[in-house]
Amino acid sequence: MPAHDKKPPPAPAKLRQAAAEPKKAENIARRLAFVFLAAALAGIATYVSRVGHGGATRRVQAVTSVPESYAVCTDPGLVYTVDERRPNADCLLVKKDRIAATGTLEEIQAEWDVYQIDLVNKFYGGESKAKKPLKVIRPPSGSIIIPGLADAHAHLMMYGAKMQLNLEGAETIDEVLDRIEHYVASHPAPHDDGVRWVEGFGWDQTRWKDWRGGFPSKTDLASRPSLAGIPMALSRVDGHALWVSDRALELAEAKLPGGRWPGHGEVEGGEVMKDKNGKPTGVLVDSAMALIPVPPPSEAQMTEQLERAVKDALAVGLTSVHDAAVNGRMLNVFKKMADDGRLPIRVYAMANEESSEYWGGRFERLEDYGKDGRLNLRSVKLFTDGALGSWGAALLEPYSDNPSTSGLMRSSEEALKQTVTKFWNDGWGVNIHCIGDRANKAVLDIFEGLLQGNESAAQRRPRIEHAQIMRREDLTRAGQLGVITSVQPTHATSDMWYAESRLGPDRILGAYAYQSLLQLSSNKVLPLGSDFPVEGIKPLLGFYAAVSRLDGRGESPHGPGGWFPSERLTRAQALKGMTFDAAYASFAEGDLGSLSVGKKADYVVLDRDIMNEGAAFTDILATQVRATVIDGRVLHGGI
């Protein structure tokens, strides 16, 4: 399967989508007349029409309501289509929810004239006065238009939950404790004698100044009297370690068999961290986190979390999100919002349940589900290991900075193979979390065996999520097999300050190797995501990290040229990774991912040209989203 559309552009006749059977002509004519009249009346104050080839166009004010058919034009060449047949254009012609044409204004006008003549001849008896002018909208000079941005790996409801008590970015443990105290003070305990849990997300001990090293503990939480006695569960920034209070441990212990905490190696794929006396320190890693009885969110809470997440996603230019772990309760909330037409973005959900039993039969496959057809589910998300920041990534050799461990596999390689094979044989797309080189090798071994049958990778599109630390031979093998490696560029710039000390000088050469993965890919596909809320939700942060390999201050361990700069992506590669490649990874490249004729009219208007390779990287971080458009309608901002 090629990375770009290879079909020749459709002939003008194929763009004439308003034609219908002769028996329906009279009714269609009435509807068209009404549509054009309503659009003209509603749009007088918000857009200016341009008739023929020579009329001037000026912007009156931001357009937040557009007609069913219109053109949107930038300065010459500033529509970046991600379509190799015509990478740049001046204008898009939008008809209802689809792109009808791209090109210069004159070419767009010609397409419109053909369309109008066709309508007039069919429904108006050839009367020229029935022809409608082309409505042309112009964003401010210097703006660019790009395809709607996709995040190929994120967690929507987790993001909504994180925003309630966000611990990200704290530079000291005292700042973390200050935030928790403020939250507790502003959120009084319930009066119904119910247990009030405090949940937070985003702490990262590797970023704390003057920190003693290792994980924090329950004692650190108890150092603040106002927090004593409160059950607290605070997730590390990567979601693979839980920092809990003494009261949370007490509640958990009461539910443990015999009231005994499991010892080292007794929790498959997890660890209860203990002190020298064998007592829990207050940190649990990966599978062991399930021992803490944090009450699940209610449906109302999940709905609120999802509403917050999709609103924020639109504001930063996201039109599609691959949600990389949706359980059954979550899916019910997604479906209800989709049924009600309240799901504004496109969601490619990956089913997931934390269960040792096979759960594939609990989920129904969804294709263009809901009032607006924006919800899809055809794949599952599985996990192999933990994360590098919590020493949980499964490595083939011990950690360089902690030789006592090689990380954690959540299950044995043989058990993982049986699980993956069951989902594969049941027809599910299989997407697997792999951070460490042991995890990546194990999954590639499994995929290699499954792909030796009749089905190709292009048909099934198996994915490795993260593909973070890989042997050089496995970088090559993933490409040869056609396994999609879905990566998150901000993980590289977040981890680069400690990754080499954790992995050593040899293993680091196969880590965060984005340009290598892209070049070795058999179809040159590298979908990009963020893993938000682990990283920030703004896709332009990922774009910046991919092309610069620098942090937000313009720094890296290798200086201003970027961390391992040979692994940087070009701006064109990064944009394709956030549009077409993400669409391909979700089986949606026929409808999404590029501004190509016939595809959905999903696009984003930015206030400056981030695609200019000569522009400063800092300009990317300063870029603002002027408008996010889905199905041809402005859902955030204004043009």
Side-chain angles (χ1 to χ4, degrees), residues 312-371:
D312 287 2
L314 282 172
V316 295
L318 288 171
T319 60
S320 301
V321 169
H322 301 188
D323 196 307
V326 175
N327 63 33
R329 294 183 68 237
M330 291 176 172
L331 185 60
N332 288 335
V333 174
F334 276 108
K335 289 177 66 176
K336 286 183 179 180
M337 286 185 62
D339 286 335
D340 296 340
R342 294 188 298 114
L343 189 63
I345 66 172
R346 305 188 193 282
V347 175
Y348 178 71
M350 307 178 196
N352 173 265
E353 289 286 356
E354 292 295 330
S355 172
S356 58
E357 299 178 356
Y358 180 72
W359 44 262
R362 302 182 197 176
F363 289 87
E364 58 179 318
R365 291 166 175 81
L366 303 176
E367 183 175 352
D368 298 335
Y369 179 89
K371 185 176 180 180

Side-chain angles (χ1 to χ4, degrees), residues 382-398:
L382 305 176
F383 290 85
T384 56
D385 63 346
L388 186 69
S390 50
W391 293 275
L395 301 180
L396 292 165
E397 300 293 337

Side-chain angles (χ1 to χ4, degrees), residues 57 101 110 153 235 265 270 284 287 323 389 395 420 446 493 520 528 547 573 577 624 627:
T57 303
H153 185 114
S235 178
L284 302 94
S287 298
D323 196 307
L395 301 180
V420 173
I446 294 169
T493 53
L520 292 168
L528 305 183
V547 302
Q573 289 170 340
Q624 299 295 316

